Amino acid sequence: MAHLSPEAQRLDVLHSYEILDTPETKEFDNLVTLAAQICEVPIAKVNFIDDKRAWSKANYGNDLKESPREYNFCHTTIREDEYLVVEDASEDDRFSHFEFVTADPKLRFYAGVNIKRNQQNLGTICVLGQEPKQLSEAQLNALRTLAGEIEARLELHKKNRELETKAAFLEASVDFMLVLDPDTLLVEKANRNGSNLLSELSGQDFFKPLDELFPDSALISELRQWIKNGHNGFESETSLKTESGKVFLELNGIRKEDKLLITAKDITRRKHAEKALRKEKLFSDTIIQSLPLNFFMFDENQNLIKWSRNHATHGYSDEEYAALSPLDFFDGKDQQSIKEYINQVFAGIEPQGSIEADLIQKDGSKKPFLFNAVCFKQDGKKYLIGTSQSIEAQRSYQEKLEGLLAEKEVLLAEVHHRVKNNLAVIAGFLQMQEFVSENESVKSTLLTNHMRVKSMALIHEDLYNVSDFNGIRFDHYLAQLLEFIEVKRSPKDKFIRLKTAIGRVEMNVNQAVPLALIVNELVSNAYEFAFEGRESGTITVDLKAENDAVSLSVKDDGIGLPEGFELENSPTLGTTLVLSYSEQINSKIDINTGKEGTEYRLMFNHLKNQKGSTANVLV
């Protein structure tokens, strides 16, 4: 109470006795009566000074129960060390203005002795008269004695209140109490605390030795052993049979004045709840132990709380497993990765996925495992719960697949290499035939087919030089193809510009080959026919991919197509090939033609991830 003011400390002590506003009692009334008689005055009181009032516990000759503190003689008395005597209040400047001095009952005399506890003045026993008076030393000593008696009764009142509280608590916390003879275990006294449990256990006549009341109970031998050992305290749990079933009791005992005091509390509901909890725990443990995965749970200090017995497959015993921290099962980069993973799970940065790491076995070997974990909160604490499973078989299978894939890639590379070489041989034959032929029509046909073969050969050359056989960078390929077409098709007597706007496009071979042949046909056709009668012109090729769609535009600013031209009805091989290849890539060709030239537009779905070879190439 050092931090409290002196007045707050005094009030704190006063309130601890819980005397204020309690009913009047004869013991205190007798004391004030005696005080009035000894001091030969008409009025006597026991006053306790609260924060704003003077409250009377006992009155003689006056029925006033309380008054404002500052207008009461006792307010001044408690500021004195021991007592205060006022022989004539009308002559005392401190009190002459008080209403009960100037008006009825016109008090003149006052004497009060402080009631002290814990060095605090709590109130007074005081006597008052309507005539001026002197108090003898004997009368003052008598008031001191009466004040001491009040102090003793205050302590008794406080202890009785504490005993009542303890008794109420004891009665509320136990179902019955027994007083036993330690030699015979005879029940001498019993308190049933409003419970029928004792009657249910022993009938109405329970003032018998315990071994007669409960002849088959192990409790009797426990009590006799306790008495024999001479121990003071006794604690036990036992079960007794009743007509309604088995009852579980929690017993506590002490020795007191050569008697045994035994309290009993019915804990049957608690025992049933514990049994149900054990059953539920056994059920959950059985589930955990039956999981095909390893289960683990540990706290933020990396203490293992719970785990499945599958860890025995790592060679560790339960004791060894419990003594290790999660990081002890890893080393090197795996240990650092697992540490970061654990910290992220506890921090709740984001939902964590799986993590792979090599787990160290007891014999020092390592096996690959897949781990999953989440953060679990309970009672303000964080726990990490997760599972692990061996991926040794999957890792072995993966390595086998990677080996097979590598073999497949080598084989595919060899296939593309041989196809490229074969196409190069065919292209060479066509080119040689073109050189030796003197017939211009034949030479044109040979050049056309030479370029078709070259278009496919360039694709296989690209596939041979890349590691991903699912597709090629078609934009790179198209640049090479257009450069080749420009060299072969651009007429020497005309100035024809080839402009390109080619975006990044990755494409599988099933779409790349038909599209390459379409570009070859359209651009070659533009070089050959679009600029008849003109000395210059421009061919523009535009290729781009947006989301899942690829668009191609081949445009020239030449003379345009003949009036009434329809691609579907054209008898040439080139138009037949264009139509056939556009069907293969599921694209329709739109043609815009006029005096300003001709534009062919195609759009089709991008199928980069399509596997296999389905292109039907006819040349």
Side-chain angles (χ1 to χ4, degrees):
M1 296 189 298
H3 64 286
L4 298 177
S5 67
E7 176 61 10
Q9 293 180 47
R10 188 192 72 80
L11 290 172
D12 194 49
V13 175
L14 172 63
H15 295 157
S16 71
Y17 283 89
E18 298 182 357
I19 194 69
L20 295 173
D21 298 311
T22 56
E24 294 182 0
T25 58
K26 191 172 182 180
E27 55 181 341
F28 282 92
D29 289 343
N30 289 341
L31 293 177
V32 293
T33 300
L34 183 59
Q37 292 173 352
I38 291 174
C39 295
E40 299 175 334
V41 292
I43 302 172
K45 301 170 79 71
V46 172
N47 284 341
F48 291 102
I49 310 304
D50 201 0
D51 59 339
K52 294 181 180 180
R53 59 175 179 157
W55 178 82
S56 299
K57 172 64 177 174
N59 288 295
Y60 175 80
N62 180 274
D63 295 331
L64 185 66
K65 287 295 293 181
E66 62 180 65
S67 62
R69 170 175 168 167
E70 61 272 19
Y71 296 111
N72 193 288
F73 290 109
C74 299
H75 172 63
T76 303
T77 306
I78 63 170
R79 296 179 178 178
E80 303 293 333
D81 180 56
E82 185 180 4
Y83 66 91
L84 174 69
V85 176
V86 180
E87 294 181 352
D88 188 349
S90 64
E91 300 295 331
D92 193 317
D93 293 339
R94 294 174 296 175
F95 311 111
S96 60
H97 61 285
F98 282 4
E99 184 179 355
F100 49 76
V101 174
T102 59
D104 288 338
K106 295 185 178 181
L107 296 176
R108 295 292 182 269
F109 172 73
Y110 168 85
V113 175
N114 284 323
I115 300 170
K116 292 178 174 285
R117 297 312 300 152
N118 295 341
Q119 300 180 342
Q120 300 291 340
N121 295 333
L122 308 184
T124 70
I125 179 170
C126 58
V127 291
L128 303 99
Q130 295 165 310
E131 299 292 336
K133 178 178 173 63
Q134 291 184 343
L135 196 68
S136 69
E137 188 67 26
Q139 290 172 326
L140 181 59
N141 287 335
L143 284 179
R144 289 191 180 106
T145 301
L146 292 174
E149 181 65 20
I150 292 172
E151 291 168 359
R153 292 178 183 273
L154 277 179
E155 283 299 322
L156 181 61
H157 172 80
K158 185 175 183 180
K159 289 181 179 179
N160 285 340
R161 295 277 294 186
E162 291 174 352
L163 288 174
E164 289 173 1
T165 301
K166 291 179 180 179
F169 176 78
L170 184 61
E171 289 184 5
S173 60
V174 300
D175 291 282
F176 63 84
M177 295 177 283
L178 302 175
V179 178
L180 306 180
D181 182 284
D183 297 322
T184 63
L185 298 184
L186 176 67
V187 178
E188 296 182 349
K189 294 181 180 179
N191 186 342
R192 291 182 285 184
N193 291 347
S195 171
N196 295 323
L197 180 59
L198 185 59
S199 299
E200 293 179 15
L201 292 171
S202 59
Q204 294 300 322
D205 185 12
F206 38 75
F207 294 104
K208 298 178 182 179
L210 283 185
D211 49 4
E212 292 184 21
L213 293 174
F214 313 116
D216 300 325
S217 174
L219 172 64
I220 307 304
S221 59
E222 286 186 53
L223 281 172
R224 293 195 184 282
Q225 187 63 40
W226 170 51
I227 295 168
K228 180 180 178 181
N229 293 338
H231 297 156
N232 186 52
F234 173 77
E235 294 181 3
S236 178
E237 290 185 2
T238 189
S239 61
L240 300 173
K241 294 181 179 179
T242 67
E243 293 182 359
S244 58
K246 186 181 288 187
V247 174
F248 292 89
L249 298 176
E250 180 182 81
L251 301 174
N252 288 276
I254 59 170
R255 295 171 180 268
K256 193 73 172 178
E257 298 177 357
D258 297 327
K259 300 295 180 184
L260 303 182
L261 305 182
I262 305 294
T263 63
K265 181 175 178 61
D266 186 352
I267 58 171
T268 304
R269 292 178 64 182
R270 191 188 82 191
K271 285 293 184 181
H272 288 165
E274 289 175 354
K275 183 179 180 181
L277 187 61
R278 286 194 299 271
K279 185 176 180 181
E280 184 177 340
K281 182 178 181 300
L282 178 62
F283 179 69
S284 63
D285 286 346
T286 301
I287 292 176
I288 289 173
Q289 302 306 330
S290 301
L291 290 172
L293 309 173
N294 298 316
F295 172 84
F296 53 85
M297 173 180 178
F298 55 87
D299 61 20
E300 288 185 280
N301 297 320
Q302 298 190 7
N303 298 312
L304 273 167
I305 307 299
K306 199 176 188 65
W307 63 91
S308 61
R309 297 298 181 269
N310 295 342
H311 64 80
T313 58
H314 310 319
Y316 298 100
S317 65
D318 279 355
E319 293 75 15
E320 291 171 329
Y321 203 70
L324 295 171
S325 79
L327 297 181
D328 292 333
F329 294 96
F330 308 93
D331 62 9
K333 292 182 179 179
D334 281 346
Q335 187 179 74
Q336 183 62 30
S337 298
I338 292 294
K339 182 178 180 181
E340 292 175 359
Y341 182 82
I342 290 173
N343 291 338
Q344 289 177 352
V345 172
F346 273 125
I349 297 174
E350 60 183 22
Q352 300 299 313
S354 304
I355 183 172
E356 292 185 16
D358 290 339
L359 191 144
I360 302 173
Q361 311 298 296
K362 187 177 180 181
D363 61 7
S365 63
K366 297 181 180 180
K367 292 184 179 180
F369 274 77
L370 181 69
F371 299 89
N372 288 276
V374 294
C375 183
F376 172 73
K377 296 180 182 180
Q378 186 176 32
D379 300 330
K381 296 181 179 180
K382 291 183 179 180
Y383 301 92
L384 186 147
I385 59 175
T387 60
S388 67
Q389 64 181 118
S390 173
I391 55 173
E392 190 174 15
Q394 292 92 324
R395 183 76 65 83
S396 176
Y397 184 64
Q398 180 181 350
E399 291 172 355
K400 184 178 179 180
L401 286 178
E402 289 174 352
L404 293 173
L405 182 60
E407 293 177 5
K408 177 185 174 183
E409 289 176 349
V410 171
L411 179 61
L412 283 173
E414 182 63 23
V415 168
H416 287 300
H417 181 58
R418 294 190 180 189
V419 170
K420 180 200 73 169
N421 288 343
N422 291 335
L423 289 173
V425 171
I426 295 171
F429 287 154
L430 291 172
Q431 191 173 28
M432 289 175 61
Q433 191 68 37
E434 177 191 348
F435 288 155
V436 300
S437 177
E438 295 180 357
N439 187 310
E440 292 300 322
S441 176
V442 172
K443 290 180 70 172
S444 177
T445 302
L446 290 171
L447 176 60
T448 300
N449 286 299
H450 171 212
M451 295 183 67
R452 290 167 182 160
V453 172
K454 184 65 175 179
S455 299
M456 293 184 290
L458 285 173
I459 287 179
H460 287 281
E461 184 176 355
D462 268 9
L463 287 170
Y464 175 67
N465 292 321
V466 298
S467 58
D468 183 4
F469 294 108
N470 293 327
I472 63 171
R473 283 287 300 274
F474 192 78
D475 49 312
H476 290 171
Y477 160 78
L478 185 57
Q480 297 178 58
L481 177 62
L482 291 174
E483 183 180 351
F484 175 72
I485 295 174
E486 185 177 23
V487 171
K488 290 293 184 180
R489 287 295 192 179
S490 181
K492 294 181 175 55
D493 57 344
K494 297 181 180 181
F495 179 67
I496 308 299
R497 293 179 58 200
L498 178 62
K499 294 174 61 178
T500 60
I502 303 173
R504 179 188 176 105
V505 179
E506 295 184 24
M507 193 175 297
N508 67 66
V509 68
N510 297 325
Q511 291 182 314
V513 171
L515 188 60
L517 291 168
I518 290 173
V519 172
N520 176 68
E521 295 298 328
L522 294 178
V523 176
S524 296
N525 190 69
Y527 270 115
E528 187 170 358
F529 301 110
F531 304 101
E532 289 183 358
R534 295 188 181 183
E535 295 181 356
S536 64
T538 301
I539 300 172
T540 304
V541 179
D542 187 348
L543 177 73
K544 60 184 177 181
E546 292 182 359
N547 299 324
D548 293 329
V550 177
S551 63
L552 171 70
S553 169
V554 178
K555 182 179 180 181
D556 65 70
D557 57 359
I559 62 175
L561 295 174
E563 186 176 351
F565 176 85
E566 292 182 358
L567 190 65
E568 294 83 356
N569 297 325
S570 177
T572 65
L573 178 59
T575 56
T576 302
L577 290 175
V578 169
L579 289 171
S580 175
Y581 298 147
S582 64
E583 288 178 2
Q584 287 188 34
I585 61 176
N586 294 318
S587 174
K588 181 182 177 182
I589 299 179
D590 293 326
I591 304 174
N592 292 319
T593 185
K595 294 181 180 180
E596 296 180 355
T598 303
E599 180 181 13
Y600 297 86
R601 296 189 63 85
L602 295 87
M603 183 172 288
F604 56 93
N605 289 332
H606 193 194
L607 303 175
K608 178 181 179 300
N609 296 321
Q610 179 176 310
K611 306 279 193 301
S613 180
T614 60
N616 179 18
V617 181
L618 299 174
V619 294

